[in-house]
Amino acid sequence: MREDGQIKVFLLGGHEVVGRGVREMLSVDDDIEVVGEAGTAADALVMIPDTDPDVVLIDVRLPDRSGVEVCRVVRSQNEDVKALILTSFADDAAQLDALMAGAAGYVLKAIRGAELLTAVRDVAAGKSLLDPVAVARMLERLRDGKNAGGDDRLAALTEQERRILDLIGEGLTNRAIGERVSLAETTIENDVSGLFSKLGMERRSQEAASVGRVQAERR
């Protein structure tokens, strides 16, 4: 949050209708300004540094890249930028997505305007929306070899990916992890991408996209 109390927000979402609704909800009060919008990860990664937002609201499913991965890149570029993951489902998987992304939390696409405003203000003020008990439980599951869905996938991770997973759990960005393990940030980004894939996070995003398409077709 800036000294004048203003909060600048950037919206990254793959669905125009959702983006329009979120923009309208955020435009109710004068202390929040939407400074930019993008429908793809590629556009967002170019626009976000130029618009200098305080908070980035990121749809977990994007047409060209996982919203979780984009969040990590944004946070590595500027740790002062706070992030919220926008998702359709409230479950351990959503909490895990936000944790892995380095986001302050997640909000549902069905959220009401007043709740969204509160979430953005809280995140801008440095608060976390993640439940610390749930986060600890999920990290324990991962260390035991089970993800939020209960599947044993830790065995598929390399030693380096396991180390990165532990550092993600400490809240480190890709850049900070690279400094800790003496590797280039691009190498960490590639490892994190592989880690997400092995944990089934890409699959969850694809399933969410399929659900969204089916729901849209029924309207």
Side-chain angles (χ1 to χ4, degrees), residues 71-190:
C71 183
R72 289 200 63 79
V73 173
V74 169
R75 292 272 298 141
S76 289
Q77 290 175 340
N78 186 350
E79 292 187 21
D80 290 334
V81 176
K82 311 302 181 183
L84 282 171
I85 296 293
L86 187 64
T87 183
S88 299
F89 307 102
D91 54 17
D92 275 0
Q95 191 112 244
L96 177 60
D97 285 343
L99 170 69
M100 297 290 279
Y106 69 90
V107 293
L108 296 176
K109 293 181 180 179
I111 192 171
R112 296 182 177 181
E115 295 171 337
L116 179 60
L117 291 170
T118 298
V120 168
R121 291 188 180 110
D122 283 349
V123 167
K127 297 179 182 179
S128 173
L129 303 185
L130 295 176
D131 179 354
V133 175
V135 166
R137 183 177 66 244
M138 285 183 292
L139 287 175
E140 188 64 28
R141 286 181 182 177
L142 288 172
R143 293 189 181 105
D144 286 344
K146 295 186 177 183
N147 68 359
D151 299 323
D152 187 349
R153 296 178 183 175
L154 200 64
L157 301 183
T158 65
E159 183 176 346
Q160 182 165 299
E161 287 170 337
R162 289 170 185 252
R163 173 61 173 155
I164 290 173
L165 177 62
D166 285 338
L167 294 175
I168 288 175
E170 292 179 20
L172 272 63
T173 63
N174 291 350
R175 177 175 298 178
I177 291 173
E179 293 172 353
R180 180 77 67 88
V181 299
S182 300
L183 290 173
E185 186 177 346
T186 52
T187 300
I188 299 300
E189 285 184 21
N190 290 334

Side-chain angles (χ1 to χ4, degrees), residues 11-48:
L11 304 179
L12 171 54
H15 197 290
E16 181 182 357
V17 174
V18 173
R20 187 185 307 134
V22 170
R23 181 174 63 252
E24 290 175 354
M25 284 190 285
L26 291 175
S27 301
V28 172
D29 290 346
D30 295 336
D31 65 325
I32 297 178
E33 177 188 3
V34 176
V35 294
E37 298 177 61
T40 66
D43 288 342
L45 291 176
V46 172
M47 296 170 65
I48 289 174

